[in-house]
Amino acid sequence: QVQFVESGGGLVQPGGSLRLSCAASGSIFSIYVMGWYRQAPGKQRELVAHITRGGLRNYADSVKGRFTISRDNAKNTVYLQMNSLKPEDTAVYYCNAAGVVVTTWGQGTQVTVSS
């Protein structure tokens, strides 16, 4: 029902930082868990971070300590702060609900980490 538009991707050097934004077309207050997903070339899409309506967070082991997810329910926006980026973080990043079956995805935003 709710559509998401991701932005903020780009080309960064290893060790660099990037902040992704996810603008929702409607209220995300009713979505208990929001998440950031990524899909690297030739790889399966994976959930890298998620956050509950109340602000509880969890991360995939591969990004723990480097990524921070946040959400502003009033602004219907979700963010992903990415620090200490590695080449293996290269992927298309998507936001969507988490913990449910997702059938519709936005275009995502490309993150490329390369020297």
Side-chain angles (χ1 to χ4, degrees):
Q1 301 289 351
V2 179
Q3 303 295 314
F4 303 99
V5 179
E6 302 90 347
S7 62
L11 174 63
V12 297
Q13 295 182 339
S17 298
L18 208 59
R19 187 180 73 141
L20 307 183
S21 297
C22 170
S25 63
S27 175
I28 63 170
F29 181 78
S30 62
I31 304 176
Y32 180 53
V33 187
M34 286 292 303
W36 280 96
Y37 303 76
R38 69 185 182 188
Q39 187 167 30
K43 303 293 184 180
Q44 184 178 358
R45 182 163 20 224
E46 63 174 337
L47 180 67
V48 299
H50 66 261
I51 182 170
T52 70
R53 183 167 53 234
L56 299 178
R57 303 172 174 89
N58 203 2
Y59 303 91
D61 288 341
S62 59
V63 307
K64 282 183 179 178
R66 301 187 298 118
F67 290 11
T68 302
I69 187 173
S70 61
R71 64 189 287 176
D72 188 331
N73 295 321
K75 295 183 177 180
N76 298 320
T77 305
V78 186
Y79 305 94
L80 185 67
Q81 178 67 47
M82 304 183 294
N83 299 323
S84 302
L85 284 163
K86 304 175 181 179
E88 48 263 47
D89 295 319
T90 296
V92 178
Y93 284 72
Y94 305 86
C95 67
N96 218 315
V100 298
V101 176
V102 176
T103 59
T104 302
W105 300 88
Q107 293 184 347
T109 185
Q110 175 72 51
V111 172
T112 302
V113 185
S114 177
S115 60

